[in-house]
Amino acid sequence: EVQLVETGGGLIQPGGSLRLSCAASGFTVSSNYMSWVRQAPGKGLEWVSVIHSGGSTYYADSVKGRFTFSRDKSKNTLYLQMNSLRVEDTAVYYCASLAADYWGQGTLVTVSS
Amino acid sequence: QAVVTQEPSLTVSPGGTVTLTCGSSTGTVTGGHYPYWFQQKPGQAPRTLIYDTSNKPSWTPARFSGSLLGGKAALTLSGAQPEDEADYYCLLSYTGARPVFGGGTKLTVL
């Protein structure tokens, strides 16, 4: 059974940092294009970042330079390092393999003073 | 950045047919935009319904189909069921740019 489990969300002050983790089981993350997608409360979906199977990463303009997407093949885990967080980064963050329809349950990040 | 447009809301009768569309501010949507469609029900994570215009993950019911129609990506639901009431989002990819989600369509089955 395929599972993606995100952890690491929480309440953080503006300007702070958080690292989200996405632990996968039942498939190999490094063999797939893996994405982070977020959803602000009551709003639509927003694409955040992707890591290709070859390791290349791409970011939405809204997070470029502040977020870093990485993976640990030995742990079959993805990470999203989020620095210089802003109020507008408040959202549920999902990791996913979009084409394979593998989605985590999401983790809530709240940026507030 | 491109703007991807969807109908904010649509209503379909049980057993009826409805088509949701996904347009791009840059012009005609083609297969090169690799259109995706996602379904999201309240309180749940999204699910991928269609990828690369018309391909389906194994869970997607046969009543859903994806296509290109009139310069847009389209999601057609034929034989709507009450459980199809949900928000639907499209995603378009752009060469040299980042993928962009549409604003979503709230589909009511009534």
Side-chain angles (χ1 to χ4, degrees):
Chain A
E1 181 193 7
V2 170
Q3 264 198 319
L4 290 170
V5 179
E6 301 103 333
T7 56
L11 175 63
I12 187 76
Q13 290 190 336
S17 296
L18 274 180
R19 189 178 80 158
L20 306 183
S21 299
C22 173
S25 58
F27 79 108
T28 303
V29 296
S30 59
S31 299
N32 288 269
Y33 282 26
M34 299 300 300
S35 300
W36 288 96
V37 172
R38 69 184 181 183
Q39 186 169 36
K43 303 296 184 182
L45 302 176
E46 181 185 9
W47 180 85
V48 174
S49 183
V50 66
I51 188 166
H52 289 181
S53 50
S56 300
T57 53
Y58 301 88
Y59 302 92
D61 289 344
S62 57
V63 307
K64 193 172 184 180
R66 300 188 298 123
F67 289 12
T68 302
F69 193 171
S70 62
R71 66 190 181 196
D72 184 327
K73 293 182 180 181
S74 66
K75 296 182 179 179
N76 207 28
T77 297
L78 307 168
Y79 302 99
L80 187 67
Q81 178 66 43
M82 304 187 297
N83 298 331
S84 303
L85 282 162
R86 305 168 180 170
V87 170
E88 54 266 33
D89 295 319
T90 295
V92 174
Y93 285 74
Y94 298 100
C95 64
S97 172
L98 299 184
D101 187 37
Y102 301 154
W103 288 79
Q105 83 289 351
T107 186
L108 177 63
V109 172
T110 303
V111 185
S112 175
S113 55
Chain B
Q1 174 174 286
V3 175
V4 177
T5 55
Q6 298 183 243
E7 299 84 1
S9 64
L10 289 170
T11 299
V12 61
S13 300
T17 296
V18 64
T19 297
L20 288 65
T21 67
C22 177
S24 173
S25 62
T26 62
T28 298
V29 176
T30 70
H33 290 94
Y34 303 100
Y36 277 68
W37 291 92
F38 304 92
Q39 180 191 68
Q40 187 179 34
K41 296 182 178 180
Q44 296 184 18
R47 294 207 67 180
T48 306
L49 202 54
I50 299 285
Y51 66 96
D52 294 352
T53 304
S54 58
N55 295 299
K56 301 180 189 180
S58 58
W59 81 274
T60 302
R63 60 185 179 272
F64 289 96
S65 62
S67 64
L68 297 174
L69 191 65
K72 298 182 180 181
L75 175 70
T76 299
L77 170 58
S78 303
Q81 301 296 310
E83 60 265 31
D84 298 330
E85 188 162 293
D87 294 327
Y88 292 84
Y89 296 91
C90 67
L91 176 71
L92 299 180
S93 296
Y94 294 86
T95 303
R98 309 310 180 223
V100 180
F101 276 99
T105 296
K106 183 178 181 62
L107 182 66
T108 300
V109 180
L110 187 61

